[in-house]
């Protein structure tokens, strides 16, 4: 007798490939290939299907394409990140961390040449009490956006360096009071699309079942 065919609503292998190979792309951003605004808008339409607290949908997106504005934003980004990156690169550390900082330093150098910079925002003032709900309502959409970009051959990185100068960025971009920037996402087509999954500690080492400290392997076959 033939084995029953297992059906799933998606091609799981392909979905997992998207989810595990959407990386922070910095050195492989194609700085010379233009990005049509429409592809960004398409990805944002995907992004806004993400969950948000009480379905508040308070995400807002500012898509920056003007060379002059990108250059000014890049200056703020550089000023916010350069000293931190320099100090990290001067501190002895493991190779993997060094590669991240070197890659981040490269992005600092080329940011203004990236075709599109997206500033995700939340339409609220963020304070200590509401931060989890407000930031937590934008990040799922932001990740959706990054996945949708990757599915179309574009790459991005979530960054925070320019937030040290968020007020100046708000003046530059006409962002009104009451709107909080949550980062800056450079977007470009990628040079090649063959990204590999990142090295990560296995989730099974960081996951417990029923009681803190009880590893999944210890509970197998008990239910
Ligand atoms: C909260 C947060 C802040 C980050 N800030 C920056 C940043 O300012 N600059 C940058 O180049 N990358 C930034 N990143 C990207 C991380 O460096 C990156 O996600 C991490 O090294 C893992 O690499 P991967 O995304 O390729 O797997 C940030 C990521 C997160 C989640």
């Amino acid at each position: 007798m033939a084995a029953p065919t297992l059906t799933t609503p998606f091609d799981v292998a392909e979905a997992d490939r998207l989810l595990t190979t959407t990386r922070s792309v910095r050195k492989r951003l194609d700085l010379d290939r233009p990005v049509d605004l429409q592809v960004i808008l398409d990805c944002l339409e995907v992004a806004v299907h993400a969950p948000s607290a009480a379905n508040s949908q308070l995400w807002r997106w500012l898509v920056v394409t003007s060379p002059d504005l990108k250059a000014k934003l890049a200056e703020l980004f550089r000023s916010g990140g350069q000293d931190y990156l320099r100090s990290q690169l001067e501190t002895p550390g493991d190779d993997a961390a060094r590669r991240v900082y070197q890659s981040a330093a490269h992005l600092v150098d080329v940011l203004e040449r990236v075709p599109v910079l997206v500033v995700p925002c939340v339409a609220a003032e963020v304070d200590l009490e509401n931060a989890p709900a407000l930031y937590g309502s934008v990040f799922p959409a932001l990740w959706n956006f990054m996945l949708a970009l990757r599915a179309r051959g574009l790459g991005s990185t979530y960054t925070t360096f320019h937030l040290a100068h968020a007020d100046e960025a708000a003046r530059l971009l006409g962002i009104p009071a009451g709107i909080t920037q949550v980062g800056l996402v450079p977007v470009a087509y990628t040079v090649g699309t063959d990204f590999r999954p990142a090295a990560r500690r296995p989730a099974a080492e960081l996951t417990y079942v029923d009681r803190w400290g009880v590893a999944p392997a210890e509970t197998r076959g008990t239910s």
Side-chain angles (χ1 to χ4, degrees), residues 114-145:
V114 179
V116 176
L117 306 179
V118 176
V119 180
C121 300
V122 54
E125 304 261 13
V126 177
D127 59 35
L128 264 185
E129 209 171 303
N130 66 20
L134 290 177
Y135 285 132
S137 290
V138 178
F139 287 130
L142 186 52
W143 183 235
N144 264 11
F145 176 59

Side-chain angles (χ1 to χ4, degrees), residues 172-194:
L172 180 69
L173 302 171
I175 298 172
I179 303 285
T180 305
Q181 298 162 65
V182 305
L184 187 155
V185 181
V187 179
Y189 283 95
T190 56
V191 178
T193 57
D194 56 326

